[in-house]
Amino acid sequence: MLDNRDAAPLPTWLDALSHSGLPPLAGIAGALREDQHAVAQGIATTYCSVVNEGRITDIKLQKRLMAGRVGVPPSATASSS
């Protein structure tokens, strides 16, 4: 599906996962089925948001650093006067 960017086999594939007898795979199939339209669009489109996601992660890290919630030990942040 992903190599060909063809989402047509998606429902059949989800059914196979649901009937696999493996609870984790059945759970994944259920979650994907809840938003099947978005999953199909993600398979079919050539758009990639990896660069944007990386930048958002950087911005969130900067925000946590400025708010002091990054988890740096207090002794490492103490300044010597």
Coordinates of all heavy atoms in Angstrom, one line a residue:
M1 N 0.8 -1.2 0.0 CA 0.0 0.0 0.0 C 0.9 1.3 0.0 O 0.6 2.2 -0.7 CB -0.9 0.0 1.2 CG -2.1 -0.9 1.1 SD -3.3 -0.7 2.5 CE -2.3 -1.3 3.9
L2 N 1.9 1.3 0.8 CA 2.7 2.5 1.0 C 3.6 2.7 -0.2 O 3.7 3.8 -0.7 CB 3.5 2.4 2.3 CG 2.7 2.4 3.6 CD1 3.6 2.2 4.7 CD2 1.8 3.6 3.7
D3 N 4.2 1.6 -0.7 CA 5.0 1.8 -1.9 C 4.3 2.3 -3.1 O 4.8 3.1 -3.9 CB 5.7 0.5 -2.2 CG 6.8 0.1 -1.3 OD1 7.3 1.0 -0.6 OD2 7.2 -1.1 -1.2
N4 N 3.0 1.8 -3.3 CA 2.2 2.2 -4.5 C 1.3 3.4 -4.2 O 0.7 3.8 -5.1 CB 1.4 1.0 -4.9 CG 2.2 -0.2 -5.3 OD1 3.3 0.0 -5.8 ND2 1.7 -1.4 -5.0
R5 N 1.3 3.8 -3.0 CA 0.4 4.9 -2.6 C -1.0 4.6 -3.0 O -1.8 5.4 -3.5 CB 0.8 6.3 -3.2 CG 2.2 6.7 -2.7 CD 2.3 8.2 -2.7 NE 3.6 8.6 -2.2 CZ 3.9 8.8 -0.9 NH1 3.1 8.6 0.0 NH2 5.1 9.2 -0.6
D6 N -1.4 3.4 -2.7 CA -2.8 2.9 -3.0 C -3.5 2.5 -1.7 O -3.1 1.4 -1.2 CB -2.7 1.8 -4.0 CG -4.0 1.2 -4.4 OD1 -5.0 1.9 -4.2 OD2 -4.1 0.1 -4.9
A7 N -4.5 3.2 -1.3 CA -5.2 2.9 -0.1 C -6.4 1.9 -0.3 O -7.1 1.6 0.7 CB -5.7 4.2 0.6
A8 N -6.6 1.5 -1.5 CA -7.7 0.6 -1.8 C -7.7 -0.7 -0.9 O -8.8 -1.1 -0.5 CB -7.8 0.3 -3.3
P9 N -6.6 -1.3 -0.7 CA -6.6 -2.6 0.1 C -6.7 -2.3 1.6 O -6.7 -3.3 2.4 CB -5.2 -3.2 -0.2 CG -4.5 -2.4 -1.2 CD -5.3 -1.1 -1.4
L10 N -6.8 -1.1 2.0 CA -6.8 -0.8 3.5 C -7.9 -1.5 4.2 O -7.6 -2.1 5.3 CB -6.8 0.7 3.7 CG -6.8 1.2 5.2 CD1 -5.5 0.8 5.8 CD2 -7.0 2.7 5.2
P11 N -9.1 -1.4 3.8 CA -10.2 -2.1 4.6 C -10.0 -3.6 4.7 O -10.1 -4.2 5.8 CB -11.5 -1.9 3.7 CG -11.2 -0.6 3.0 CD -9.7 -0.7 2.7
T12 N -9.5 -4.3 3.7 CA -9.2 -5.7 3.7 C -8.0 -6.0 4.7 O -8.1 -6.9 5.5 CB -8.8 -6.2 2.3 OG1 -9.9 -5.9 1.4 CG2 -8.6 -7.7 2.3
W13 N -7.0 -5.1 4.6 CA -5.9 -5.3 5.5 C -6.3 -5.1 7.0 O -5.9 -5.8 7.9 CB -4.8 -4.3 5.1 CG -3.6 -4.4 5.9 CD1 -2.6 -5.3 5.8 CD2 -3.1 -3.5 6.9 NE1 -1.6 -5.1 6.7 CE2 -1.9 -3.9 7.4 CE3 -3.6 -2.3 7.4 CZ2 -1.1 -3.3 8.4 CZ3 -2.9 -1.6 8.4 CH2 -1.7 -2.1 8.9
L14 N -7.2 -4.1 7.3 CA -7.7 -3.9 8.6 C -8.5 -5.1 9.1 O -8.4 -5.4 10.3 CB -8.5 -2.6 8.7 CG -7.7 -1.3 8.5 CD1 -8.6 -0.1 8.5 CD2 -6.6 -1.1 9.6
D15 N -9.3 -5.6 8.2 CA -10.1 -6.8 8.6 C -9.1 -8.0 8.9 O -9.4 -8.7 9.9 CB -11.0 -7.2 7.4 CG -12.2 -6.3 7.3 OD1 -12.5 -5.5 8.2 OD2 -12.8 -6.3 6.2
A16 N -8.1 -8.2 8.2 CA -7.1 -9.2 8.4 C -6.5 -9.0 9.8 O -6.3 -10.0 10.5 CB -6.1 -9.3 7.3
L17 N -6.1 -7.8 10.1 CA -5.5 -7.5 11.4 C -6.5 -7.8 12.5 O -6.2 -8.4 13.6 CB -5.1 -6.0 11.5 CG -3.8 -5.6 10.8 CD1 -3.6 -4.1 11.0 CD2 -2.7 -6.4 11.3
S18 N -7.8 -7.4 12.3 CA -8.8 -7.6 13.4 C -9.0 -9.1 13.6 O -9.3 -9.5 14.8 CB -10.1 -7.0 12.9 OG -10.0 -5.6 12.8
H19 N -8.9 -9.9 12.6 CA -9.2 -11.4 12.8 C -7.9 -12.2 12.9 O -7.9 -13.4 12.8 CB -10.0 -11.9 11.6 CG -11.3 -11.2 11.5 ND1 -11.5 -10.1 10.7 CD2 -12.5 -11.6 12.1 CE1 -12.8 -9.8 10.8 NE2 -13.4 -10.6 11.7
S20 N -6.8 -11.5 13.2 CA -5.5 -12.2 13.4 C -5.4 -13.0 14.6 O -4.5 -13.9 14.7 CB -4.3 -11.2 13.3 OG -4.4 -10.4 14.5
G21 N -6.2 -12.7 15.6 CA -6.1 -13.4 16.9 C -5.1 -12.8 17.8 O -4.9 -13.3 18.9
L22 N -4.5 -11.8 17.4 CA -3.5 -11.1 18.3 C -4.1 -9.8 18.7 O -4.3 -8.9 18.0 CB -2.2 -10.8 17.5 CG -1.5 -12.1 16.9 CD1 -0.4 -11.7 16.0 CD2 -0.9 -12.9 18.1
P23 N -4.4 -9.7 20.0 CA -5.0 -8.5 20.6 C -4.3 -7.2 20.2 O -5.0 -6.2 19.9 CB -5.1 -8.7 22.1 CG -5.1 -10.2 22.2 CD -4.2 -10.7 21.1
P24 N -3.0 -7.1 20.3 CA -2.4 -5.8 19.9 C -2.6 -5.4 18.5 O -2.9 -4.2 18.2 CB -0.9 -6.0 20.2 CG -0.8 -7.1 21.2 CD -2.0 -8.0 20.8
L25 N -2.6 -6.3 17.6 CA -2.9 -6.0 16.2 C -4.4 -5.6 16.0 O -4.7 -4.7 15.2 CB -2.5 -7.2 15.3 CG -1.0 -7.5 15.1 CD1 -0.8 -8.6 14.2 CD2 -0.3 -6.2 14.7
A26 N -5.2 -6.3 16.7 CA -6.7 -6.0 16.6 C -6.9 -4.6 17.1 O -7.7 -3.8 16.6 CB -7.5 -7.0 17.3
G27 N -6.2 -4.2 18.2 CA -6.3 -2.9 18.7 C -5.8 -1.8 17.8 O -6.4 -0.7 17.6
I28 N -4.7 -2.1 17.1 CA -4.2 -1.1 16.1 C -5.2 -1.0 15.0 O -5.5 0.1 14.5 CB -2.8 -1.6 15.5 CG1 -1.8 -1.4 16.6 CG2 -2.4 -0.8 14.3 CD1 -0.4 -2.1 16.3
A29 N -5.8 -2.1 14.5 CA -6.8 -2.1 13.5 C -8.0 -1.2 13.9 O -8.5 -0.4 13.1 CB -7.2 -3.5 13.1
G30 N -8.4 -1.4 15.1 CA -9.6 -0.6 15.6 C -9.3 0.9 15.6 O -10.1 1.7 15.2
A31 N -8.0 1.2 16.1 CA -7.7 2.6 16.1 C -7.6 3.2 14.7 O -8.0 4.4 14.5 CB -6.3 2.8 16.9
L32 N -7.0 2.5 13.8 CA -6.9 3.0 12.4 C -8.2 3.1 11.8 O -8.5 4.0 11.0 CB -6.0 2.1 11.6 CG -4.5 2.1 12.0 CD1 -3.7 1.1 11.2 CD2 -3.9 3.5 11.9
R33 N -9.1 2.2 12.1 CA -10.5 2.2 11.5 C -11.3 3.4 12.0 O -12.1 3.9 11.2 CB -11.2 0.9 11.8 CG -12.4 0.7 11.0 CD -13.0 -0.7 11.2 NE -12.4 -1.6 10.3 CZ -11.8 -2.7 10.6 NH1 -11.8 -3.1 11.9 NH2 -11.2 -3.5 9.7
E34 N -11.0 3.9 13.2 CA -11.7 5.1 13.7 C -11.5 6.3 12.8 O -12.4 7.2 12.7 CB -11.3 5.4 15.1 CG -11.9 4.4 16.2 CD -11.4 4.7 17.6 OE1 -10.8 5.8 17.8 OE2 -11.6 3.9 18.4
D35 N -10.3 6.4 12.3 CA -10.0 7.6 11.4 C -9.5 7.1 10.1 O -8.5 7.6 9.5 CB -9.0 8.4 12.1 CG -9.0 9.9 11.6 OD1 -9.9 10.2 10.9 OD2 -8.1 10.6 12.0
Q36 N -10.2 6.1 9.5 CA -9.8 5.5 8.3 C -9.6 6.4 7.1 O -8.7 6.3 6.3 CB -10.8 4.4 7.9 CG -10.3 3.5 6.8 CD -11.2 2.3 6.6 OE1 -12.0 1.9 7.5 NE2 -11.2 1.7 5.4
H37 N -10.5 7.5 7.0 CA -10.3 8.4 6.0 C -9.0 9.1 6.0 O -8.3 9.3 5.0 CB -11.5 9.5 6.0 CG -11.4 10.5 5.0 ND1 -11.7 10.3 3.7 CD2 -11.1 11.8 5.1 CE1 -11.5 11.4 3.0 NE2 -11.1 12.4 3.8
A38 N -8.6 9.6 7.2 CA -7.3 10.2 7.3 C -6.1 9.3 7.0 O -5.1 9.7 6.4 CB -7.1 10.8 8.7
V39 N -6.3 8.0 7.5 CA -5.2 7.0 7.2 C -5.1 6.9 5.7 O -4.0 6.8 5.1 CB -5.5 5.7 7.9 CG1 -4.5 4.6 7.5 CG2 -5.5 5.9 9.4
A40 N -6.2 6.7 5.0 CA -6.2 6.6 3.5 C -5.6 7.8 2.8 O -4.8 7.6 1.9 CB -7.6 6.3 3.0
Q41 N -5.9 9.0 3.3 CA -5.3 10.2 2.8 C -3.8 10.2 3.0 O -3.0 10.6 2.1 CB -5.9 11.4 3.4 CG -7.3 11.7 2.9 CD -7.3 12.0 1.4 OE1 -6.5 12.7 0.9 NE2 -8.2 11.4 0.7
G42 N -3.3 9.8 4.2 CA -1.9 9.7 4.5 C -1.2 8.7 3.6 O 0.0 8.9 3.2
I43 N -1.8 7.6 3.2 CA -1.2 6.7 2.3 C -1.1 7.2 0.9 O -0.1 7.1 0.2 CB -2.0 5.3 2.3 CG1 -1.8 4.7 3.7 CG2 -1.5 4.4 1.2 CD1 -2.7 3.5 3.9
A44 N -2.2 7.9 0.5 CA -2.3 8.3 -0.9 C -1.5 9.6 -1.3 O -1.1 9.8 -2.4 CB -3.7 8.5 -1.3
T45 N -1.3 10.4 -0.3 CA -0.7 11.7 -0.6 C 0.8 11.7 -0.6 O 1.4 10.8 0.1 CB -1.2 12.8 0.4 OG1 -0.7 14.1 0.0 CG2 -0.7 12.5 1.8
T46 N 1.5 12.6 -1.3 CA 2.9 12.6 -1.3 C 3.5 13.7 -0.3 O 4.7 13.8 -0.2 CB 3.4 13.0 -2.7 OG1 2.9 14.3 -3.1 CG2 3.0 11.9 -3.7
Y47 N 2.6 14.4 0.3 CA 3.0 15.4 1.3 C 3.6 14.8 2.5 O 3.2 13.8 3.0 CB 1.7 16.2 1.7 CG 2.1 17.3 2.7 CD1 2.7 18.5 2.4 CD2 1.7 17.1 4.1 CE1 3.0 19.4 3.3 CE2 2.0 18.1 5.0 CZ 2.7 19.2 4.6 OH 3.0 20.2 5.6
C48 N 4.7 15.4 3.0 CA 5.4 15.0 4.2 C 5.6 16.1 5.1 O 6.1 17.2 4.7 CB 6.7 14.4 3.8 SG 7.7 13.8 5.1
S49 N 5.2 16.0 6.4 CA 5.4 17.0 7.4 C 6.5 16.8 8.3 O 6.5 17.4 9.4 CB 4.1 17.2 8.1 OG 3.8 16.1 8.9
V50 N 7.5 16.0 8.0 CA 8.6 15.7 8.9 C 9.3 16.9 9.3 O 9.6 17.1 10.5 CB 9.5 14.6 8.3 CG1 10.8 14.4 9.1 CG2 8.8 13.3 8.0
V51 N 9.6 17.8 8.4 CA 10.4 19.0 8.8 C 9.6 19.9 9.8 O 10.1 20.4 10.8 CB 10.7 19.8 7.5 CG1 11.3 21.2 7.9 CG2 11.6 19.0 6.6
N52 N 8.3 20.0 9.5 CA 7.4 20.8 10.4 C 7.3 20.1 11.8 O 7.4 20.8 12.8 CB 6.0 20.9 9.8 CG 6.0 21.8 8.6 OD1 6.9 22.6 8.4 ND2 5.0 21.6 7.8
E53 N 7.2 18.8 11.9 CA 7.1 18.1 13.1 C 8.4 18.3 13.9 O 8.4 18.5 15.1 CB 6.8 16.7 12.9 CG 5.4 16.4 12.4 CD 4.3 16.8 13.3 OE1 4.5 16.8 14.5 OE2 3.3 17.2 12.8
G54 N 9.6 18.3 13.3 CA 10.8 18.5 13.9 C 10.9 19.9 14.5 O 11.4 20.1 15.6
R55 N 10.5 20.9 13.8 CA 10.5 22.2 14.2 C 9.6 22.5 15.4 O 9.9 23.2 16.4 CB 10.2 23.2 13.1 CG 10.3 24.6 13.4 CD 11.8 25.0 13.7 NE 11.9 26.3 14.3 CZ 12.6 26.5 15.4 NH1 13.3 25.6 16.0 NH2 12.6 27.7 15.9
I56 N 8.4 21.8 15.4 CA 7.5 22.0 16.5 C 8.1 21.3 17.7 O 8.0 21.9 18.8 CB 6.1 21.3 16.1 CG1 5.4 22.1 15.1 CG2 5.3 21.1 17.4 CD1 4.2 21.5 14.4
T57 N 8.8 20.2 17.6 CA 9.4 19.6 18.7 C 10.5 20.5 19.3 O 10.6 20.6 20.5 CB 10.1 18.2 18.3 OG1 9.0 17.4 17.8 CG2 10.8 17.6 19.5
D58 N 11.3 21.2 18.4 CA 12.3 22.1 18.9 C 11.7 23.3 19.7 O 12.2 23.7 20.7 CB 13.1 22.7 17.7 CG 14.0 21.7 17.1 OD1 14.3 20.6 17.7 OD2 14.4 21.9 15.9
I59 N 10.6 23.8 19.2 CA 9.9 24.9 19.8 C 9.4 24.5 21.2 O 9.5 25.2 22.2 CB 8.7 25.5 18.9 CG1 9.4 26.2 17.7 CG2 7.8 26.4 19.7 CD1 8.3 26.5 16.7
K60 N 8.8 23.3 21.3 CA 8.3 22.8 22.6 C 9.4 22.6 23.6 O 9.3 22.9 24.8 CB 7.6 21.5 22.4 CG 6.2 21.7 21.7 CD 5.5 20.3 21.6 CE 4.1 20.5 21.0 NZ 3.5 19.2 20.9
L61 N 10.6 22.2 23.1 CA 11.8 22.0 24.0 C 12.2 23.4 24.5 O 12.5 23.5 25.7 CB 12.9 21.3 23.2 CG 14.2 21.2 24.0 CD1 14.1 20.4 25.3 CD2 15.3 20.7 23.1
Q62 N 12.3 24.4 23.6 CA 12.7 25.7 24.0 C 11.7 26.3 25.1 O 12.1 26.9 26.0 CB 12.7 26.7 22.8 CG 13.9 26.4 21.9 CD 15.2 26.5 22.6 OE1 15.4 27.4 23.3 NE2 16.1 25.6 22.3
K63 N 10.4 26.0 24.9 CA 9.4 26.5 25.8 C 9.6 25.8 27.2 O 9.5 26.5 28.2 CB 8.0 26.2 25.3 CG 6.9 26.6 26.1 CD 5.5 26.3 25.5 CE 4.4 26.7 26.4 NZ 3.1 26.3 25.9
R64 N 9.8 24.5 27.2 CA 10.1 23.8 28.5 C 11.4 24.3 29.1 O 11.4 24.4 30.3 CB 10.1 22.3 28.2 CG 8.8 21.7 28.0 CD 8.8 20.2 28.1 NE 9.6 19.6 27.1 CZ 9.2 19.2 25.9 NH1 8.0 19.4 25.5 NH2 10.0 18.7 25.0
L65 N 12.4 24.6 28.3 CA 13.6 25.1 28.9 C 13.4 26.5 29.6 O 13.9 26.7 30.7 CB 14.7 25.3 27.8 CG 15.4 24.0 27.4 CD1 16.2 24.3 26.1 CD2 16.3 23.5 28.5
M66 N 12.6 27.3 28.9 CA 12.4 28.7 29.5 C 11.5 28.6 30.7 O 11.6 29.4 31.6 CB 11.8 29.6 28.4 CG 12.8 29.9 27.3 SD 12.2 31.0 26.0 CE 10.5 31.0 26.0
A67 N 10.6 27.6 30.8 CA 9.7 27.5 31.9 C 10.4 26.7 33.0 O 9.8 26.5 34.1 CB 8.4 26.8 31.5
G68 N 11.5 26.1 32.8 CA 12.2 25.4 33.8 C 11.7 24.0 34.1 O 11.9 23.4 35.1
R69 N 11.1 23.4 33.1 CA 10.5 22.0 33.3 C 11.2 21.0 32.4 O 10.6 20.0 32.1 CB 9.0 22.1 32.9 CG 8.2 23.0 33.8 CD 6.8 22.9 33.4 NE 6.6 23.0 32.0 CZ 5.5 23.5 31.4 NH1 4.5 23.8 32.1 NH2 5.4 23.6 30.1
V70 N 12.4 21.2 32.1 CA 13.1 20.3 31.2 C 13.7 19.1 32.0 O 14.0 18.1 31.4 CB 14.1 21.0 30.4 CG1 15.5 20.6 30.7 CG2 13.9 20.8 28.9
G71 N 13.8 19.2 33.3 CA 14.3 18.1 34.0 C 15.8 18.2 34.3 O 16.5 17.2 34.6
V72 N 16.4 19.3 34.2 CA 17.8 19.5 34.5 C 18.0 19.6 36.0 O 17.3 20.3 36.7 CB 18.4 20.8 33.8 CG1 19.8 21.0 34.2 CG2 18.1 20.8 32.3
P73 N 18.9 18.8 36.5 CA 19.1 18.8 38.0 C 19.4 20.2 38.5 O 20.2 20.9 37.8 CB 20.3 17.8 38.2 CG 20.4 17.1 36.9 CD 19.8 17.9 35.8
P74 N 18.9 20.6 39.7 CA 19.2 21.9 40.2 C 20.6 22.2 40.4 O 21.0 23.4 40.2 CB 18.5 21.9 41.6 CG 17.5 20.8 41.5 CD 18.0 19.8 40.5
S75 N 21.5 21.3 40.7 CA 22.9 21.6 40.9 C 23.6 22.0 39.6 O 24.5 22.7 39.6 CB 23.6 20.3 41.5 OG 23.5 19.2 40.6
A76 N 23.1 21.5 38.5 CA 23.6 21.8 37.2 C 23.3 23.2 36.7 O 24.0 23.8 35.9 CB 23.2 20.8 36.1
T77 N 22.2 23.8 37.3 CA 21.8 25.1 36.9 C 22.2 26.2 37.8 O 22.0 27.4 37.6 CB 20.2 25.2 36.7 OG1 19.6 24.8 38.0 CG2 19.8 24.2 35.6
A78 N 22.7 25.8 39.0 CA 23.1 26.8 40.0 C 24.4 27.5 39.5 O 25.3 26.9 39.0 CB 23.4 26.1 41.3
S79 N 24.4 28.8 39.6 CA 25.5 29.6 39.2 C 26.5 29.8 40.4 O 26.0 30.0 41.5 CB 25.1 31.0 38.6 OG 24.4 31.7 39.6
S80 N 27.7 29.9 40.1 CA 28.7 30.1 41.1 C 29.0 31.6 41.2 O 29.4 32.2 40.2 CB 30.0 29.3 40.9 OG 30.5 29.6 39.6
S81 N 28.8 32.2 42.4 CA 29.0 33.6 42.5 C 30.2 33.9 43.3 O 30.5 33.3 44.3 CB 27.8 34.3 43.2 OG 26.6 34.0 42.6

